Amino acid sequence: MSAKIIDGKQVSTEVRERVADQVAEFIASGGHQPVLATVLVGDDPASHVYVANKIKACEAVGIGSVHHELPAETSQDDLLTLVRALGDDDGVDGILVQLPPPDHIDPDAVIAAIDPAKDVDGLTATSAGLLVGGRPGLVSCTPAGVIELLDHAGTELEGAEAVIVGRSNLVGKPLISLLLARNATVTAAHSRTRDLPAVCRRADVLIAAVGVPELLGAEHVKPGATVIDVGINRTDDGLKGDVDFEAVSEIAGAITPVPGGVGPMTIAMLMVNTLAAAKSRSKQS
Ligand code: NDP
C-alpha cells in the first residue's frame, strides 16, 4: 500500500474537541447552552442507534438535547405539528428528524416543516439555496465532513480537478457547491456518465458517493489522487465503501477507509452546525 490513510475517527475526535472548547467559550461569554432536538418516528433499530449516538455526542461536547420518540403509526400531520412547534420553541437551536420516516410519511414534507434557522442537517430548500448562492448557512453534515477531511489531509483544492461520483441532494450536489467555493474545477458524474473510468482518472480529488460496493477500482484513479469514499454498503462480506480500497490504495496518494473515514465525520459536523445555529440565533435575538 502506498496511499496515506485519512483517519476519519481521529479527525472527528479533533472536531468534537474543538466544538467542546467553543461551546464552553460561548457559554462563558454570556451565550446560552446550545440545544439539539432529535425526533425519531418508529422502531427501525439502525435509526435508534444513530439517534442515540447523536445524543451521546451532544453530551460529550456540552450541547443539551431533547429527544422526542414517536410510535411508528404517528400521522404525518402530528409529526409536522411537532416539528413546527420545535421551530417556535425558543429553547431549541437545532432540529434533527431522523430519516427515513415510516413509509406513510413524506420526508420532503418533514424537511419543509423544519425552521431553516434550526436546520442543522442542512436539508431544507433554504439551506440548499444559500449553499448554491455561496452565502453563509447550515451545510449538510456529510459533505461538510468531506471538506473537513480534505483540509485535514492538506489536499490542495484551489484549481484542482475534483470529480464527484453521485449527484444526490444529500451528498453529491452540496459537494459541487462546496468544492466550487474552494475554487476546484468540479465534475459531477452519475449513472448516465459515459466512460466513468476516464472521467474519474482526470481527478486530483475523487469523491465516491454512489451506494454501489467497490464500484471504483484502480482503473478509475489517477496516481497520487486523493480519494474520499462516502459509500456505506452492507454486504455479506461486511461493511464496504464505493471504492475498492485494496486496489485503489496502491495507486492513490491518500484515501479514506470504510469504516473509519467519512462516517465518523457526520455526527461531528452535526455538533458544529448545532453550535453555529445557537450562535446565529443568539445574535438575532
Ligand atoms: P443516492 O442513492 O441518493 O445517490 C446515488 C448517486 O450515485 C446517484 O446520483 C446515482 O446516479 C449515482 N450512481 C448510481 N449508480 C451509479 C453507477 N453505476 N455509476 C455512476 N453513478 C452511479 O445515494 P446517497 O448520495 O444518499 O448515498 C451514497 C452513498 O453514501 C451510499 O452508500 C450511502 O450509504 C452513503 N452515505 C454515507 C453517509 C455517511 O455518513 N458516511 C451519509 C450519506 C450517505 P443517478 O443520479 O443518475 O441515479
Side-chain angles (χ1 to χ4, degrees), residues 142 165-168 171 190-191 209-211 215 230-233 262-263 266:
T142 302
V165 189
R167 55 175 168 178
S168 69
V171 187
H190 45 77
S191 66
V210 187
L215 175 75
V230 181
I232 299 179
N233 306 293
V262 176
T266 301

Side-chain angles (χ1 to χ4, degrees), residues 75-102:
S75 71
Q76 177 165 310
D77 278 352
D78 284 351
L79 176 59
L80 297 187
T81 301
L82 170 63
V83 172
R84 290 191 191 109
L86 293 171
D88 292 337
D89 184 342
D90 208 30
V92 167
D93 296 295
I95 301 171
L96 180 133
V97 183
Q98 186 63 43
L99 301 175

Side-chain angles (χ1 to χ4, degrees), residues 214-238:
E214 301 185 331
L215 175 75
L216 304 187
E219 70 279 20
H220 294 83
V221 178
K222 172 158 107 180
T226 298
V227 179
I228 305 287
D229 189 351
V230 181
I232 299 179
N233 306 293
R234 283 165 223 288
T235 74
D236 292 344
D237 297 331

Side-chain angles (χ1 to χ4, degrees), residues 100-154:
D103 288 345
H104 65 281
I105 295 175
D106 172 11
D108 289 338
V110 177
I111 291 167
I114 297 172
D115 176 352
K118 302 183 180 184
D119 176 23
V120 286
D121 247 349
L123 298 178
T124 59
T126 301
S127 298
L130 290 171
L131 181 59
V132 171
R135 290 163 56 197
L138 294 163
V139 177
S140 127
C141 300
T142 302
V146 168
I147 299 295
E148 190 76 32
L149 286 176
L150 287 168
D151 284 342
H152 187 271

Side-chain angles (χ1 to χ4, degrees), residues 18-31 275 279:
R18 195 174 73 209
V19 174
D21 289 347
Q22 291 171 349
V23 167
E25 274 167 33
F26 178 56
I27 294 171
S29 64
L275 174 59
K279 283 183 171 173

